[in-house]
């Protein structure tokens, strides 16, 4: 019952109060949820850091071992070269001092070329069967005991590679192996010498291992890297009791994060020791910072929310007051802006602007409605009046025609009939596309009138096959071309002028040409007209008008073409679709 009462009270609250309560609840719930989610996310993040550190160490170890394996392959490639085998076999045969000197030089050059191509090597040294030494790179002198231990280590492998770790005197990781004779001409696996490759393990780790933390490489109880050991290996190993690849260990009063993996390829152990604070201090700081930031955000957002709710509800209340005025029919007062002036451009402001425009539009529509009623009546009257004018003109022409026939003036009668036919077709635009037959009738009527004017100076010929008369053509297409031919050809010369309309078909298209024997047309006139370079003097239907109407009716592939290669006369060709083709 109490919940229902609270709900009813909330429903009847003002929007401003509802927004304030709602914003407060949203922020409080969000803050609680975010803090809980943050703790969960950081716990997952801690685990991901552990796993990532292990993966990084794994990738580093693989990169280091890949590089060492590549150096192993280099040692095999060097000892198996035919030239090296031949030179060592020749040295074993105890040659002359001169030949021995040449062979020594060749071996030294070969070792120098190999050592110079490898950035991670100190030197490559080779000891032949008689104990003579050849080297390429930064060679150091070794005491006899170290030399003997290297030879003994190589002998254990009988051709396979063996490792010797850095010591207090020599920082190099040494790969050594015996060279056996397995040349095709002497495959007896006899001892030819010992190969010693001194590797800069510190440079390999700098290039391929992570810079964060201290990396330790061990083989059993032997330390491969680094030479100066800051941590006790046994103490680190004792920390891994749960079988995981990472752990936390306090060493010398400071806590460290330690990850460890063992290589399945070499059996070496890779350990990364990183100060715990170096990784996790920033995370702990972020955890505390997030809590304080959210509390500050809660206070700021609450204050902004209260102000926002007020700014949101105030324009709504003003709009409601105007709507009440509009409801009573008081549009002018409802259209006034609120005191204070400028309307914002947010949704509420746009709603106010829309309401004001609506009120203005209603007032405008009331005025326009009254004006439109007057215009409609006036238009209806003019439409009725305009219907009288053409009928009066046709009746007058019929009267003139009748009087001409009564007085036996056949030429006047023919001219009047042609004029009436021409006027009817010019005024009637209900059918914009007509058969070619009807268009030629219009042309004939126009020619009849012009014959009366120019008599024998106008020689008209029509050469259109009967089969083309049903083809579609835009109305008043040929007649303007005839008019242009008379205006620009016949009227500009004294001699008779022949105007011919021809028609033919080609590949489903219909072509009509209007030809005259006048002075001709300037080249490129159609393009120049379209570009505005020249302007026509006439007031009738021009070439561009005809070309545009054909393209609008049938498509861009149709239209007007002008033969620019003629020196006398002019030919205008119309390209149209054949009979029965679709009209766009």
């Amino acid at each position: 019952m109490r919940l229902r009462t609270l709900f009813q009270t909330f429903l009847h609250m003002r929007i401003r109060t509802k927004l304030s309560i709602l914003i407060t609840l949203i922020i409080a719930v969000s803050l609680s949820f975010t803090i809980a989610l943050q703790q969960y996310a950081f716990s997952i993040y801690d685990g991901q850091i552990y796993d990532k550190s292990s993966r990084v160490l794994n990738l580093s170890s693989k990169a280091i071992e890949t590089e060492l394996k590549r150096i192993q392959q280099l040692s095999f490639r060097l000892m198996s070269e035919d030239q090296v085998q031949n030179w060592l076999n020749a040295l074993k045969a105890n040659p002359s001092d001169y030949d021995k000197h040449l062979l020594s030089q060749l071996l030294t050059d070969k070792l120098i070329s190999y050592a110079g191509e490898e950035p991670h090597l100190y030197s490559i040294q080779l000891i032949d069967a008689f104990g003579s030494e050849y080297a390429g790179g930064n060679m150091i002198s070794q005491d006899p005991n170290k030399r003997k231990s290297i030879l003994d280590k190589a002998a254990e492998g009988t051709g396979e590679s063996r490792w010797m770790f850095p010591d207090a005197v020599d920082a190099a990781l040494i790969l050594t192996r015996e060279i056996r004779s397995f040349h095709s001409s002497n495959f007896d696996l006899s001892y030819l010498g010992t190969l010693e490759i001194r590797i800069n393990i510190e440079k390999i780790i700098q290039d391929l291992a992570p810079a964060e933390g201290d990396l330790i490489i061990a083989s059993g109880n032997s330390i491969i890297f680094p030479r100066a050991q800051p941590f006790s290996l046994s103490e680190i190993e004792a920390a891994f009791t749960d079988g995981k690849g990472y752990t936390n260990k306090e060493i010398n009063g400071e806590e460290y994060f330690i990850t460890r993996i063992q290589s399945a390829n070499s059996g070496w152990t890779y350990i990364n020791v990183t100060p715990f604070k170096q990784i996790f201090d920033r995370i702990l700081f972020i955890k505390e910072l997030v809590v304080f930031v959210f509390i500050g955000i809660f206070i700021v957002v609450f204050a902004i929310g209260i102000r926002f709710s007020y700014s949101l509800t105030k324009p709504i209340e003003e709009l409601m007051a105007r709507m009440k005025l509009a409801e009573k029919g008081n549009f002018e007062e409802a259209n006034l802006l609120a005191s204070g002036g400028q309307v914002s451009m947010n949704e509420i402001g746009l709603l106010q602007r829309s309401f004001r425009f609506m009120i203005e539009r209603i007032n405008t529509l009331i005025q326009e409605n009254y004006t439109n009623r007057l215009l409609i009546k006036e238009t209806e009257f003019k439409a009725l009046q305009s219907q009288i004018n053409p009928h009066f003109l046709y009746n007058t022409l019929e009267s003139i025609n009748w009087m001409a026939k009564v007085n036996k003036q056949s030429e006047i009668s023919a001219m009047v009939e042609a004029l009436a036919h021409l006027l009817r077709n010019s005024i009637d635009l209900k059918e914009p596309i007509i058969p070619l037959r009807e268009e030629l009738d219009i042309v004939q009527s126009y020619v009849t009138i012009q014959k009366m004017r120019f008599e024998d100076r106008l020689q008209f010929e029509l050469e259109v096959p009967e089969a083309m008369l049903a083809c579609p053509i835009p109305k008043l297409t040929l007649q303007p071309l005839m008019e242009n031919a008379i205006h620009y050809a016949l009227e500009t010369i004294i001699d008779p002028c022949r105007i011919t309309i021809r028609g033919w078909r080609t590949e489903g298209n219909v072509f009509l040409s209007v030809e005259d024997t006048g002075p001709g047309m300037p080249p490129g006139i159609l393009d120049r007209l379209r570009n505005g370079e020249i302007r026509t003097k006439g007031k009738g239907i021009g070439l561009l008008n005809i070309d545009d109407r054909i393209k609008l009716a049938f498509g861009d592939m149709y239209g007007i073409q002008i033969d620019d290669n003629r020196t006398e006369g002019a030919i205008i060709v119309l390209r149209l679709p054949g009979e029965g083709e679709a009209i766009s």
Side-chain angles (χ1 to χ4, degrees):
M1 190 68 179
R2 173 172 287 185
L3 288 177
R4 182 178 298 177
T5 304
L6 290 175
F7 182 71
Q8 292 293 331
T9 303
F10 179 78
L11 286 179
H12 295 292
M13 286 181 179
R14 299 179 65 181
I15 295 178
R16 185 184 309 170
T17 308
K18 288 181 181 179
L19 284 174
S20 302
I21 295 174
L22 186 61
I23 291 171
T24 304
L25 288 175
I26 290 174
I27 296 175
V29 172
S30 300
L31 178 62
S32 303
F33 179 76
T34 303
I35 292 175
L37 186 62
Q38 170 208 324
Q39 298 302 323
Y40 175 72
F42 277 126
S43 64
I44 295 176
Y45 180 67
D46 292 346
Q48 289 179 345
I49 288 179
Y50 298 152
D51 293 337
K52 182 180 178 181
S53 300
S54 298
R55 288 196 297 269
V56 169
L57 182 61
N58 185 43
L59 291 174
S60 300
S61 65
K62 285 183 178 178
I64 293 170
E65 297 215 348
T66 299
E67 179 64 13
L68 295 177
K69 188 174 182 181
R70 189 185 65 81
I71 295 174
Q72 278 185 306
Q73 293 172 349
L74 170 70
S75 68
F76 178 78
R77 189 167 70 250
L78 174 60
M79 63 176 281
S80 61
E81 273 198 23
D82 290 341
Q83 289 180 334
V84 176
Q85 288 275 321
N86 291 334
W87 295 337
L88 291 175
N89 275 305
L91 287 170
K92 188 177 180 181
N94 198 13
S96 64
D97 291 341
Y98 177 73
D99 291 337
K100 185 176 181 180
H101 174 74
L102 291 179
L103 292 170
S104 299
Q105 189 64 41
L106 290 172
L107 269 173
T108 302
D109 292 342
K110 176 64 70 174
L111 295 176
I112 290 173
S113 68
Y114 268 86
E117 295 175 357
E118 296 296 328
H120 296 145
L121 299 184
Y122 287 119
S123 63
I124 302 178
Q125 297 170 220
L126 191 150
I127 304 169
D128 64 12
F130 296 103
S132 297
E133 185 174 346
Y134 313 92
N138 299 323
M139 180 181 174
I140 64 169
S141 60
Q142 293 174 335
D143 62 86
N145 293 331
K146 181 68 176 285
R147 173 60 53 81
K148 184 177 182 305
S149 63
I150 291 173
L151 294 175
D152 292 342
K153 195 73 173 179
E156 291 177 5
T158 61
E160 293 184 353
S161 59
R162 290 291 184 266
W163 296 99
M164 293 193 68
F165 306 136
D167 53 33
V169 177
D170 191 356
L173 174 67
I174 299 174
L175 183 147
T176 181
R177 66 192 309 168
E178 287 187 343
I179 302 176
R180 299 283 178 165
S181 175
F182 54 87
H183 195 270
S184 58
S185 62
N186 186 18
F187 194 80
D188 57 1
L189 298 179
S190 61
Y191 176 74
L192 297 179
T194 300
L195 183 65
E196 176 187 343
I197 299 179
R198 300 178 65 254
I199 303 168
N200 188 347
I201 185 65
E202 185 174 354
K203 183 167 177 42
I204 291 177
I205 291 172
Q206 286 177 354
D207 293 343
L208 303 178
E212 189 171 6
D214 296 318
L215 179 65
I216 301 173
I217 305 176
S219 177
N221 294 325
S222 302
I223 299 295
I224 300 174
F225 178 85
R227 295 170 67 189
Q229 179 55 261
F231 304 103
S232 170
L233 186 61
S234 59
E235 188 177 0
I236 292 175
E237 290 290 346
F240 290 92
T241 57
D242 54 1
K244 294 182 179 180
Y246 53 85
T247 186
N248 294 334
K249 176 70 176 176
E250 186 175 333
I251 303 174
N252 299 328
E254 185 175 358
E255 190 172 3
Y256 290 90
F257 176 68
I258 306 172
T259 54
R260 180 191 67 171
I261 63 167
Q262 188 169 15
S263 171
N265 182 34
S266 63
W268 294 357
T269 301
Y270 292 81
I271 302 171
N272 186 265
V273 182
T274 307
F276 189 84
K277 289 183 178 181
Q278 186 175 338
I279 300 177
F280 296 99
D281 264 10
R282 286 171 290 180
I283 298 174
L284 295 174
F285 172 74
I286 291 173
K287 290 180 181 179
E288 296 173 357
L289 180 64
V290 167
V291 175
F292 288 112
V293 167
F294 265 95
I295 294 174
I297 290 175
F298 175 79
I299 297 172
V300 173
V301 172
F302 180 77
I304 294 175
I306 298 299
R307 183 174 181 83
F308 169 75
S309 63
Y310 177 76
S311 65
L312 187 65
T313 55
K314 183 180 179 181
I316 295 177
E317 292 172 355
E318 293 177 357
L319 183 60
M320 289 175 61
R322 296 192 205 177
M323 292 177 70
K324 290 180 180 179
L325 291 173
E327 184 180 357
K328 297 177 181 178
N330 192 351
F331 295 109
E332 293 183 2
E333 190 173 346
N335 191 29
L336 295 177
L337 288 173
S339 58
Q342 190 173 1
V343 177
S344 61
M345 294 303 296
N346 56 20
E347 289 83 354
I348 302 299
L350 293 175
L351 185 61
Q352 288 180 322
R353 287 165 58 88
S354 299
F355 179 76
R356 191 174 74 250
F357 291 153
M358 182 185 70
I359 296 298
E360 292 176 355
R361 185 59 178 162
I362 290 174
N363 281 327
T364 303
L365 287 175
I366 292 173
Q367 298 296 328
E368 288 180 353
N369 185 41
Y370 177 75
T371 305
N372 287 339
R373 288 181 179 274
L374 296 177
L375 288 175
I376 289 172
K377 291 187 176 293
E378 184 179 354
T379 302
E380 290 176 351
F381 176 77
K382 289 183 177 179
L384 293 174
Q385 188 178 23
S386 65
Q387 294 177 3
I388 298 173
N389 294 333
H391 289 290
F392 174 76
L393 181 60
Y394 297 149
N395 291 336
T396 302
L397 291 174
E398 288 294 334
S399 299
I400 296 172
N401 185 28
W402 177 78
M403 291 177 65
K405 287 182 177 180
V406 169
N407 293 306
K408 298 181 180 181
Q409 297 292 330
S410 57
E411 292 182 353
I412 296 175
S413 176
M415 190 173 183
V416 170
E417 288 179 352
L419 177 60
H421 182 266
L422 190 61
L423 287 174
R424 283 192 181 94
N425 285 280
S426 299
I427 295 174
D428 185 11
L429 297 177
K430 294 180 180 179
E431 297 293 336
I433 307 297
I434 61 175
L436 179 59
R437 178 184 295 104
E438 296 182 12
E439 180 68 13
L440 292 176
D441 289 342
I442 297 173
V443 172
Q444 290 284 11
S445 298
Y446 179 74
V447 171
T448 299
I449 296 172
Q450 296 300 327
K451 275 279 191 180
M452 299 298 178
R453 176 185 174 190
F454 294 102
E455 298 180 346
D456 293 337
R457 288 184 59 211
L458 173 59
Q459 300 175 3
F460 175 69
E461 297 179 3
L462 183 62
E463 299 177 6
V464 179
E466 183 73 21
M468 291 176 53
L469 297 180
C471 294
I473 185 172
K475 194 172 185 179
L476 295 179
T477 297
L478 292 176
Q479 185 271 332
L481 295 180
M482 281 290 303
E483 185 176 347
N484 284 345
I486 290 174
H487 180 67
Y488 292 104
L490 178 59
E491 292 182 356
T492 58
I493 60 176
I494 300 175
D495 298 331
C497 179
R498 184 173 65 256
I499 302 175
T500 306
I501 296 179
R502 290 190 175 89
W504 67 92
R505 288 177 177 270
T506 304
E507 298 179 355
N509 292 324
V510 168
F511 292 90
L512 294 169
S513 68
V514 179
E515 307 174 13
D516 64 66
T517 58
M521 302 178 71
I525 185 171
L526 196 60
D527 292 334
R528 293 167 67 188
L529 283 171
R530 194 173 296 279
N531 295 332
E533 296 179 14
I534 58 175
R535 297 184 179 275
T536 58
K537 298 179 180 179
K539 298 182 180 179
I541 301 175
L543 295 177
L544 288 181
N545 183 294
I546 297 171
D547 185 57
D548 290 340
R549 288 196 295 124
I550 293 175
K551 284 180 167 54
L552 286 172
F554 304 117
D556 291 339
M557 62 181 296
Y558 302 103
I560 287 181
Q561 301 173 0
I562 298 177
D563 187 357
D564 294 335
N565 297 323
R566 296 177 61 88
T567 57
E568 295 182 357
I571 298 180
I572 299 175
V573 180
L574 304 180
R575 183 180 181 184
L576 303 169
E579 182 181 359
E581 294 191 10
I583 299 175
S584 59

